[in-house]
Amino acid sequence: MKLLFVVNPISGGVDKKPFLREAESLCNNYGIEYSIFKTTGVNDEEGVKKIIDEFQPNKVASVGGDGTTLFTAIALLETKIPMGIIPLGSANGMAVELFVNPKPIEALKNIIMSDVIGHLDMVKVNGEHYSIHIGDVGINAQIVEAYDKDENRGMVTYAKYFIDEVKKVDLIHVAINANGKSIDKSGIMVCICNSRKYGTGVPINLTGNPMDGKFEIVVVKKIDTNSIIKAGLSKFEEGFYDRENIEILSTDKAQLSFDKPRLLQLDGEVIGKYKDIEVEILSGGVNLISTKNSLSSIVK
Ligand SMILES: Nc1ncnc2c1ncn2[C@@H]1O[C@H](COP(=O)(O)OP(=O)(O)OP(=O)(O)O)[C@@H](O)[C@H]1O
């Protein structure tokens, strides 16, 4: 077997060397041929495609956070090569969502051993951007933008910008065209969800399923002390999920038209400001290496 590691050296502020030492020793012991591609943060698409082409891996392990998972998934989109996730980012929202073993070396053993493939959907935005986890316009996108400019990573940095942004929250008006209907909505955040929960553990789309060929548009109506407390508590107990503060629309294609250009983030990456957004599902776009146990938890 040939295994390619796509490694983000900076994700989560975690040093990847100890994991890589253990991974290399495991591969050497079992006679697994491997190659390591380290991302640099600039023009990595070309580099990773070149190594995929030359090395022709049977499996790919994405070592990093959600951004790295998405980067790897996009690189593999036109191949049928399956990929798995080694959670070594700051929040690892997608890994949690997909019931990946939280211990990196155990996640690697699952990738090596498993022939179980899950057909994970991917969301395509404006014909050129992708998401597998959650994208949004509004308060969270603003936080992600501020977070990205800070050299510190992790939850404490995220929390610092959360508090700043809550103070200056702005109401968004959006016209949503989906399922043959057009509806107008207002809220503090409009989310495009392939998945259920943010990396922080806060649920946004509890009825979603990342493998059902659909995505959800979730409009969060307001933010006040009560909704913040409920959102925070719902991380620990889903009973606190505030159904009254959200509206959910499930579809496979939608057009969103905002009152003015709005900042969009997809899977933790800031994409830019858009007034109009077109979203479509790429059903089963990612061949995800999983396990029977994880798959039954995902699609339950
Ligand atoms: N060598 C590098 N130096 C700087 N930035 C990098 C490098 N490699 C990748 N990146 C950037 O890292 C980001 C992706 O990070 P990723 O989402 O995997 O980790 P994270 O943000 O720490 O974790 P999480 O998404 O779980 O919160 C992308 O913006 C990518 O451009």
Side-chain angles (χ1 to χ4, degrees):
M1 202 226 332
K2 288 165 90 176
L3 177 63
L4 172 67
F5 292 89
V6 175
V7 182
N8 179 336
I10 63 115
S11 61
V14 184
D15 180 8
K16 307 299 177 315
K17 286 192 206 92
F19 166 76
L20 285 177
R21 266 197 298 273
E22 217 178 330
E24 288 184 78
S25 141
L26 191 112
C27 288
N28 288 332
N29 194 30
Y30 288 99
I32 294 166
E33 200 182 331
Y34 66 89
S35 184
I36 299 173
F37 176 83
K38 289 188 182 161
T39 59
T40 63
V42 264
N43 298 331
D44 286 319
E45 296 76 10
E46 222 174 284
V48 79
K49 283 198 172 148
K50 188 163 177 277
I51 194 161
I52 291 168
D53 205 41
E54 287 169 3
F55 183 60
Q56 293 284 319
N58 306 101
K59 290 180 175 181
V60 177
S62 172
V63 184
D66 286 352
T68 312
T69 302
L70 179 63
F71 168 78
T72 308
I74 296 169
L76 293 173
L77 203 54
E78 295 194 345
T79 74
K80 293 268 178 268
I81 304 169
M83 65 171 279
I85 303 170
I86 312 276
L88 274 165
S90 43
N92 306 307
M94 204 60 213
V96 173
E97 192 96 39
L98 296 170
F99 296 87
V100 172
N101 194 310
K103 291 193 192 111
I105 202 72
E106 297 304 318
L108 173 61
K109 287 179 191 165
N110 282 340
I111 293 174
I112 293 170
M113 276 192 286
S114 187
D115 272 335
V116 175
I117 303 294
H119 301 286
L120 177 65
D121 300 331
M122 209 165 186
V123 167
K124 193 171 186 183
V125 176
N126 285 356
E128 56 173 335
H129 302 291
Y130 297 91
S131 158
I132 44 179
H133 189 215
I134 299 173
D136 55 55
V137 163
I139 181 166
N140 186 57
Q142 310 285 140
I143 300 168
V144 170
E145 188 185 40
Y147 175 91
D148 272 1
K149 289 185 185 147
D150 196 313
E151 60 184 28
N152 297 308
R153 316 294 289 171
M155 287 301 188
V156 175
T157 312
Y158 183 88
K160 180 173 100 185
Y161 291 111
F162 177 82
I163 294 161
D164 286 353
E165 290 301 327
V166 165
K167 289 183 200 148
K168 44 185 188 195
V169 69
D170 164 32
L171 200 66
I172 299 166
H173 301 283
V174 61
I176 305 170
N177 219 308
N179 303 331
K181 284 190 208 149
S182 183
I183 47 170
D184 292 327
K185 295 281 167 205
S186 299
I188 52 115
M189 190 155 102
V190 179
C191 311
I192 302 162
C193 304
N194 189 39
S195 304
R196 299 170 178 134
K197 294 180 181 182
Y198 276 106
T200 48
V202 172
I204 188 79
N205 177 33
L206 270 184
T207 51
N209 170 353
M211 297 187 177
D212 64 354
K214 295 201 166 196
F215 65 90
E216 283 73 36
I217 296 171
V218 179
V219 179
V220 180
K221 293 188 234 169
K222 60 180 181 356
I223 192 159
D224 53 26
T225 322
N226 194 24
S227 56
I228 292 176
I229 293 170
K230 278 193 182 168
L233 290 174
S234 61
K235 172 182 160 81
F236 306 106
E237 168 53 69
E238 289 178 359
F240 285 103
Y241 181 63
D242 192 356
R243 278 165 225 280
E244 276 161 27
N245 193 31
I246 55 162
E247 285 189 59
I248 303 183
L249 192 155
S250 186
T251 186
D252 56 4
K253 202 173 170 51
Q255 282 99 35
L256 309 181
S257 193
F258 296 100
D259 45 355
K260 61 177 187 187
R262 298 277 183 182
L263 193 67
L264 169 74
Q265 75 83 20
L266 296 174
D267 293 14
E269 303 290 319
V270 174
I271 306 299
K273 282 193 171 177
Y274 296 89
K275 192 167 183 310
D276 298 295
I277 295 180
E278 272 204 31
V279 192
E280 63 178 309
I281 200 89
L282 301 180
S283 184
V286 185
N287 284 326
L288 181 83
I289 304 167
S290 188
T291 63
K292 289 239 161 118
N293 287 344
S294 299
L295 275 191
S296 61
S297 302
I298 297 164
V299 298
K300 74 169 184 260

